[in-house]
Amino acid sequence: MKKILSLSIIASLLFAFSACRDESLNPLPGWDPGVHAFTVFDGINFNGNILARPQPYEVANAKNFPKASQNDAKVDLKTRWVSLDNKLTVNKIEIYVRMLESYNDPDGNPKVADLSENGKGKLITTITTPAANRKWNTFSITAQQVYDAYKNASVAYDKVNKVNVFNNPARPRPAGAWFRPAETTGYGSVGADSFVVTWVLTTSDGQVFNTWNPDSICADPTPVSEANSNCQLTFTVR
């Protein structure tokens, strides 16, 4: 009987303590709802193994710009936004592309120039009426769009004087072949131009999501599901 009475007293004290606790003094913030996205190359099939990640459709350079006839070249992709708790709705998806150019400095050291100069990239296209949660939205990135976004980019290849990338006599980029593959010529061995696709999600209540945790959302290792995520996709010239 004494044991039962003691347990009753302890339970009453715990209840009283929890009932009187001031949640405003809790040092741990509450979790707000969020959204993320999953973007892949369109037209590349699931390999049949639900545990295999990355899948062929999310591997870097699974699709690329060709070396020539770039006027009509495009890379087809698809993206879907995900709200795990269904508390937010995405009503706009902006697609950005960073263009990276490899070159050798005057000392022969390999360098990579981010032509966006901001680490974010240039806005290439916008999905203004995205499909519902976890439903695919298809889009394409054309070579013409990327050229138009970066045609005024310049780099100080000699560390002093900036030169327009697309009018650089040391590495010609004629019309229809604006973007270069890996090459070894008079200016040395350089890697191919690279393009990094990222996205910004805007929700119906005005929130903007453009940064996610690189150790979780951005490197999602979980089995294939409708909740998968990533933070960028890369392609090149081949």
Side-chain angles (χ1 to χ4, degrees):
M1 184 67 181
K2 290 183 178 180
K3 185 175 182 180
I4 294 175
L5 181 60
S6 298
L7 290 174
S8 298
I9 293 173
I10 292 172
S12 299
L13 290 173
L14 288 174
F15 176 78
F17 175 78
S18 61
C20 297
R21 186 173 63 181
D22 186 350
E23 289 296 335
S24 66
L25 300 177
N26 186 352
L28 299 176
W31 294 104
D32 292 326
V35 291
H36 61 263
F38 187 44
T39 303
V40 302
F41 293 104
D42 196 11
I44 298 180
N45 295 327
F46 167 55
N47 72 1
N49 182 357
I50 197 171
L51 298 178
R53 296 290 305 283
Q55 282 288 317
Y57 48 63
E58 58 185 321
V59 174
N61 307 329
K63 286 192 172 184
N64 302 288
F65 284 154
K67 297 178 182 179
S69 301
Q70 294 173 357
N71 309 66
D72 302 317
K74 65 176 182 174
V75 171
D76 295 324
L77 305 104
K78 59 183 181 180
T79 187
R80 65 186 180 205
W81 61 272
V82 177
S83 172
L84 294 175
D85 54 14
N86 294 302
K87 290 184 177 180
L88 295 176
T89 299
V90 171
N91 63 359
K92 183 171 68 172
I93 303 175
E94 295 173 302
I95 304 298
Y96 288 79
V97 172
R98 290 170 61 208
M99 179 178 172
L100 307 178
E101 182 194 18
S102 297
Y103 69 97
N104 297 315
D105 71 10
D107 301 317
N109 300 310
K111 299 289 185 179
V112 176
D114 181 349
L115 302 188
S116 72
E117 297 184 333
N118 61 12
K120 177 182 177 181
K122 303 280 189 180
L123 178 63
I124 297 298
T125 189
T126 301
I127 301 171
T128 55
T129 54
N133 190 13
R134 307 188 188 195
K135 300 297 183 182
W136 289 112
N137 303 269
T138 59
F139 66 98
S140 298
I141 295 175
T142 69
Q144 184 72 57
Q145 286 175 309
V146 179
Y147 170 73
D148 289 342
Y150 284 99
K151 62 185 178 183
N152 295 320
S154 59
V155 174
Y157 299 106
D158 63 357
K159 302 182 181 181
V160 179
N161 303 301
K162 284 196 170 185
V163 176
N164 180 276
V165 171
F166 296 94
N167 289 302
N168 178 13
R171 194 179 189 189
R173 295 171 178 268
W178 303 299
F179 308 116
R180 307 306 304 154
E183 298 171 305
T184 301
T185 61
Y187 43 79
S189 178
V190 292
D193 293 335
S194 182
F195 309 92
V196 182
V197 184
T198 57
W199 38 91
V200 175
L201 310 179
T202 301
T203 58
S204 56
D205 62 355
Q207 295 188 72
V208 177
F209 293 83
N210 56 15
T211 304
W212 293 269
N213 188 338
D215 296 323
S216 59
I217 292 295
C218 297
D220 179 12
T222 59
V224 175
S225 76
E226 291 185 354
N228 285 143
S229 61
N230 57 3
C231 293
Q232 66 178 44
L233 204 60
T234 302
F235 64 93
T236 187
V237 181
R238 287 182 179 171

